[in-house]
Amino acid sequence: MTARDAIAQLRAAGHSAYLVGGGVRDRWLGIPASDEDIATDAVPGRLRELFPGARLVGAHFGVVIVDGVEIATYRSDSAYLDGRRPESVSFVATPEEDSRRRDFTINALYEDPFTGGILDFHGGLDDLRAGVIRAIGDPVERFEEDRLRLLRAVRFASRFGFRIEPRTFAAIRELAPRVSAVAAERVRDELTRMLTEGRARSAFELLNETGLLHEVLPEVEAFRGVEQPPEFHPEGDVWTHVLIMLEGLPESASPALAWGVLLHDVGKPATFSRSDRIRFNGHVEVGVGIARRILNRLKFSNEDADQILALVANHMRFGDVRRMKESTLKRFLRLDRFDEHLALHRLDCLSSHAQLGNYDFMRERFESMPPDEVRPPRLLTGADLIAAGYRPGPEFKRVLDEVEDAQLEGSIADKESALALAKEKFAASSAPPPTSE
Ligand code: ATP
Ligand code: MG
């Protein structure tokens, strides 16, 4: 069932129903709508009679989902006590009353899908034409009610290239510190959307201008004014460097790549020093530690956090790729989602000295090297060492890694030479000698 069908059915049953929200806005802007929402005067009990398959997603709020279409009963939200959820909601009879609880004028347009007519109670169409994000009603009150709206305003403004109307902007600046009431997961999701929906640079400039960056990512705000050696970074400070990289992020960028770009130099402010020239000694290690704290705070999944941290931890290694031992290089290529490491390095170069030599070299290796050269089947396992009479212990892994290095270098290629090498390595170490043989 399409949203149109649902509206037809609601109207046939005597109800008022319209398309509303992002779908109407996006269609007007001529961009593909992410989802379609319906608002109606039918209460949830009635919706379940009319649509027996409806799934209740928020009984309290009066929202049901029918075949992926979200249908919400017209409502007004009472006072928000915690700055996130209304204390209670009450159902109302008209779209006009419903519209007052919505966040921005461009999100409160009600479309009749059969006539194309739009009900616009707050000047949303004018704001769409002028490219303006404007809170409905008193902006301070509206952001006080729901602090998530502070971030939504920035997200919509950057996504559409709109400006934020001055009173709305002033309210965001004033209330920015209150964004701390928003659950970490919600903050993370808003930031991820800003990073991955295109125009990430303008989102972060706006976060900075509104004071929200200081609240949600002070570690990134700290990039501002951190000078870099001009011979490597003609573009300027760390903040400028990262903004240029954000600007280059492809729209298809994964959340991990986008966060990796944002955080790759997060260790620089704390490690800045100036002697013969500006240096950031140990910034990668320090940065991994800071990034880990940020990702924990924002409750990232382990999978995302691991990849983001790997991107931060490995981004400086590209400087050495043309001098790397073959085994080290192959181990580097083996990193999960190596294409993201490459993409980050490319943006890193393009936003600074623009030299792509190491990138081209590594991309060529990445694309041309057959998988079984990067990750050949092991010549020797722990079981082989046990069979040869060695007792399992801490030496095992080190010896096996050294044997694998030799294999990756191409200096051994069969099990006999692998075992011979293992014996040499054990002999050179303090491990107990084989118990048999
Ligand atoms: P997108 O889905 O592209 O992010 P959207 O406008 O559709 O944008 P949704 O979160 O899907 O946003 O919400 C649908 C509609 O519900 C919005 O257009 C708005 O009218 C209303 N809405 C959503 N979240 C809020 C909120 N925090 N405060 C007030 N109204 C909201
Ligand atoms: Mg939506």
Side-chain angles (χ1 to χ4, degrees), residues 379-380 385 403 412-423:
L379 294 174
L380 214 56
L385 293 181
V403 169
I412 57 169
D414 56 55
K415 192 162 179 168
E416 288 66 50
S417 32
L419 198 53
L421 181 63
K423 284 181 182 164

Side-chain angles (χ1 to χ4, degrees), residues 10-126:
L10 282 161
R11 290 191 178 173
H15 290 287
S16 152
Y18 293 91
L19 296 170
V20 67
V24 179
R25 176 197 68 214
D26 292 349
R27 211 175 359 269
W28 194 94
L29 288 168
I31 57 183
S34 50
D35 50 15
E36 211 56 90
D37 295 323
I38 293 174
T40 179
D41 65 356
V43 295
R46 183 83 175 112
L47 288 169
R48 290 223 291 196
E49 282 167 28
L50 289 169
F51 305 101
R55 194 159 56 82
L56 207 57
V57 287
H60 185 59
F61 292 105
V63 179
V64 305
I65 293 188
V66 186
D67 291 343
V69 181
E70 208 172 288
I71 309 181
T73 307
Y74 297 148
R75 67 171 200 257
S76 76
D77 297 344
S78 71
Y80 286 57
L81 292 189
D82 60 354
R84 253 316 284 151
R85 274 174 307 271
E87 193 54 10
S88 67
V89 305
S90 41
F91 298 129
V92 295
T94 64
E96 161 148 40
E97 291 164 280
D98 180 71
S99 70
R100 286 183 222 132
R101 70 159 173 99
R102 295 185 182 270
D103 46 8
F104 306 109
T105 61
I106 62 167
N107 287 347
L109 299 169
Y110 295 73
E111 180 182 333
D112 180 330
F114 302 100
T115 64
I118 288 183
L119 302 178
D120 175 11
F121 307 105
H122 306 281
L125 288 173
D126 281 344

Side-chain angles (χ1 to χ4, degrees), residues 11 23 31 54 82 111 137 152 166 191 299-300 344 394:
R11 290 191 178 173
I31 57 183
D82 60 354
E111 180 182 333
R152 284 171 61 90
L191 294 173
K299 303 205 161 80
F300 273 81
L344 191 154

